[in-house]
Structures are given as structure tokens and as C-alpha cells.
Amino acid sequence: RNASGQYHGRGTLTFPKDNVRYEGRFLNGLQHGAGCLYFHNTDSESVDGSMSSSEGETATLKGQWAQGAMNGRGTYTHYDMTSVEGIYVEGVLEGEVTERDEDGFTTFIGNYTHGERNGKGTLYFRDGGTIYGTWSSGGVLAGRDVSYVYPDGSTLKGIWKDGAMHKARYSTSSPSSSSSSSSSSSSRSNNSADAPTYSEDISTDTHLSHHPLLPDPYETSTVYVAPSPLPNAGEGLFANKDIPAGRIVSFYNGIRIPHSVVDGRSWKFNDNTISLDDDLVIDIPPAHSATSSYCASLGHKANHCKTNNAKYDR
């Protein structure tokens, strides 16, 4: 402390009623310099007012402070271990930030305004796909120039509304390559009036797809359906080109039903079921098993094999 009794130098300040603790540098009673604020997700505290939490029960705000507020580069790590890193101005994120999941994988790089996504940014997915676009005030992805880029660089580009794909067309070129070489003979864009358009189409417990006979353009380029050489296996899913290890091959859609429904019916109805999570199973009903009835996704055509060369990831 300084001569006035204020915190000064390195120290720890605890706010027991709020379950918050600050550790770091002070200047004349205010957080100033390198420091970390700990938010404890517990109502318990020790007799002396100190707090302790196990892993997963503490969120942190770590970085550079000035005059009692975060000012400069800092990282907020949530209780679930997801994090966001960027430049803070008076305790609020402003400018370019990086968001990461609980394993440290980068999920978003883009602009923040007043502590939320606003402006240009990119979402990253573990399967290698990305979304390039613009976030409006309120942190919502929207606009007429948004692109979903498949792992192979091909693109669905078009209009997003309220964070969802509203109307997009397919192109074999990525946003970066198409802007740098519009005359490239290796890229192809379907911008004609009769070209198919794609939109968000999420299944429910009763609804499979609004466009059951509209194939996914990426899936069409990677796999095809044909009779399986396995005995009594029906149709199977086959690669139509060499696919790099770890690359997405196909997508598995289906209506979403409880495990109890699947377990309580004859297994002749469960040829196309696969577990989505602890609560739900996704299923292509028998009436839609044939590609003449449903081909918007083809993952259900993959057969089990002891010497498998692909895995299911959700």
C-alpha cells in the first residue's frame, strides 16, 4: 500500500460477496498494469473470505489494466474454457478479436464493437469449413455477400438473414481465389437464373427436408451411391476421387427422435439410424431411404465395416 493506505504495487483484492478476486498490479488504489480478475462460480467461501474453486468453476479476465479498467490486450476465459482475446478499451472489447473453443481451436477471427461481433469476420469449423461475412450490430451474421466455404475450397455464396443461410449459389472457387482471378479457367460459378439455390434446412422430429431431392454440391463432388459388394448390404457409399485424410466425406441428416423410440421398435426400421447425442437419434425413415426419394445428404448410405476407412463425427 502507499502512504494513503491505497493498494500500490503487486497485490490481491477480493470481493467475497461477488465471488471475484483480482491479482496483479495496482497504482494508487486502482488496477494498473498486468493483472487477472477471477470470477468464481460458487457461493462458498472460507472463514477468512478467500475463495477456491475447482477447474471449470472459474472464469478469468487476464491482461493489461489502466486506471481500474482493462485497457490493452487481454483474454477472457469463460467457465466452459472457451475464450476471446483482443484489445480492451475501458473494459470493453474493440477491434479484431480471436475466439477459441475449450480445446484452444480458433472458432472466430473478426471485428468487435462495444463487446460483440460487428463488421467483417470469419467462422472456423473443425471439419475445415469456414464462413466469411459481415456481422451487424447485435452480433448477427447477415448480408448479401456471405460465403460458406467447404473444406475443398468450393463455396456457397449469397444472402444470410439472422445468422442463417437464406439464399446461396454454389461456386467451385473460394472467396479469396475468385477475387484475385475472376478469369481463372479452373473455377466455376453457378450464377444463372436457373442454377439451384441453397438455404438452411434443419430437420426436426417430424420434418426431414424442404428440398429432399436437392443434392449437396460438395457431397456430389466427393461420393456417389451404388450397390454395395457386401452381402445383403443394399446400397453403399463410394468415393469418386482421392480424398485427403481427415477431410469431410459426406453429411448425415435425418429426423430427430429419442433413443427410446428407436429401442422400442423393430430393428428393421433402424437401418438408417445413428446416435446424435445422449438424447436423440437421427434417422432417414424407410420411405426416404432410396435416393429417388431423398438425396439431400448421403451419409446414411455408408455401411459398417470392420476395416473401416471413415469415422462418424458429430
Side-chain angles (χ1 to χ4, degrees), residues 143 158-161 163-168 197-200:
I159 302 170
W160 260 247
K161 293 183 178 180
M165 184 190 299
H166 177 68
K167 184 178 181 180
T197 59
Y198 301 85
S199 61
E200 183 178 83

Side-chain angles (χ1 to χ4, degrees), residues 105-109 121-133 135 141 146-157 160 165 174-176 248:
F105 175 81
T106 297
T107 56
F108 175 81
I109 296 177
T122 303
L123 285 169
Y124 298 89
F125 303 98
R126 286 184 175 272
D127 63 13
T130 57
I131 293 179
Y132 298 91
W135 277 256
L141 177 64
V146 181
S147 296
Y148 172 77
V149 184
Y150 287 104
D152 67 351
S154 59
T155 306
L156 287 174
K157 183 176 182 180
W160 260 247
M165 184 190 299
S174 65
S176 58
I248 287 288

Side-chain angles (χ1 to χ4, degrees), residues 40-54:
H40 298 271
N41 189 22
T42 175
D43 294 327
S44 63
E45 57 183 68
S46 64
V47 175
D48 63 359
S50 63
M51 295 165 289
S52 62
S53 299
S54 61

Side-chain angles (χ1 to χ4, degrees), residues 95-286:
E96 184 174 293
V97 306
T98 299
E99 298 177 13
R100 297 182 176 89
D101 67 13
E102 65 277 9
D103 297 318
F105 175 81
T106 297
T107 56
F108 175 81
I109 296 177
N111 194 71
Y112 264 43
T113 302
H114 304 312
E116 63 184 12
R117 294 176 185 173
N118 189 287
K120 297 289 186 181
T122 303
L123 285 169
Y124 298 89
F125 303 98
R126 286 184 175 272
D127 63 13
T130 57
I131 293 179
Y132 298 91
T134 301
W135 277 256
S136 61
S137 59
V140 178
L141 177 64
R144 304 186 63 86
D145 193 25
V146 181
S147 296
Y148 172 77
V149 184
Y150 287 104
D152 67 351
S154 59
T155 306
L156 287 174
K157 183 176 182 180
I159 302 170
W160 260 247
K161 293 183 178 180
D162 297 325
M165 184 190 299
H166 177 68
K167 184 178 181 180
R169 285 192 168 93
Y170 181 69
S171 172
T172 57
S173 59
S174 65
S176 58
S177 62
S178 61
S179 61
S180 62
S181 179
S182 60
S183 62
S184 172
S185 61
S186 62
S187 66
R188 176 176 54 84
S189 180
N190 291 333
N191 291 318
S192 62
D194 60 346
T197 59
Y198 301 85
S199 61
E200 183 178 83
D201 190 9
I202 299 177
S203 63
T204 68
D205 59 340
T206 58
H207 165 74
L208 180 59
S209 174
H210 289 295
H211 307 285
L213 297 179
L214 179 62
D216 182 272
Y218 171 81
E219 203 172 37
T220 300
S221 73
T222 57
V223 295
Y224 66 95
V225 176
S228 173
L230 300 175
N232 303 314
E235 294 179 320
L237 194 65
F238 300 87
N240 59 24
K241 63 181 180 181
D242 290 336
I243 301 173
R247 176 74 59 84
I248 287 288
V249 173
S250 183
F251 303 104
Y252 206 122
N253 183 42
I255 60 170
R256 305 173 186 221
I257 55 179
H259 283 270
S260 58
V261 172
V262 174
D263 295 339
R265 68 187 184 185
S266 171
W267 279 95
K268 69 180 181 181
F269 297 112
N270 294 336
D271 287 345
N272 297 326
T273 57
I274 196 166
S275 178
L276 179 63
D277 53 35
D278 291 339
D279 300 316
L280 296 175
V281 172
I282 50 179
D283 176 35
I284 302 293

Side-chain angles (χ1 to χ4, degrees), residues 70-73 84-97 110-116 118:
M70 180 75 81
N71 280 279
R73 180 160 294 279
V84 56
E85 177 185 0
I87 302 298
Y88 285 80
V89 178
E90 295 299 318
V92 179
L93 278 166
E94 301 283 354
E96 184 174 293
V97 306
N111 194 71
Y112 264 43
T113 302
H114 304 312
E116 63 184 12
N118 189 287

